[in-house]
Amino acid sequence: MSAESLAETLNTGLLELTGQAPNPQYEAALLSYLALLERWNKTYNLTAIKDPMQMVTRHLLDSLSVAPWIKGC
């Protein structure tokens, strides 16, 4: 799985959720978090999802879907 395809999926999902392209720093932070989750998941089995692309949709985007209803987002 390439970093570019993960970033593309994340950007597409964020655009659909918010109606605007994400800030590049915000995107970088989310992708760094994803890399950490993937790394530590191998050691501590934090989640049953092992595929990074599924982690983008099932962890990051699912969690961010409530952002429009949170004040300050």
Side-chain angles (χ1 to χ4, degrees), residues 56-72:
V56 169
T57 57
R58 294 185 182 175
H59 291 309
L60 296 181
L61 293 175
D62 278 356
S63 297
L64 293 169
S65 66
V66 299
W69 294 276
I70 299 174
K71 188 175 181 170

Side-chain angles (χ1 to χ4, degrees), residues 6-26:
L6 292 174
E8 184 179 328
T9 301
L10 179 61
N11 282 331
T12 301
L14 288 172
L15 184 60
E16 289 178 14
L17 288 173
T18 65
Q20 58 187 353
N23 177 324
Q25 292 175 326
Y26 187 63

Side-chain angles (χ1 to χ4, degrees), residues 2-3 11 18-19 30 32 37-38 40-41 49 58 63-64 68:
S2 73
N11 282 331
T18 65
L30 288 171
S32 292
L37 180 61
E38 183 182 10
W40 288 106
N41 193 41
I49 298 170
R58 294 185 182 175
S63 297
L64 293 169

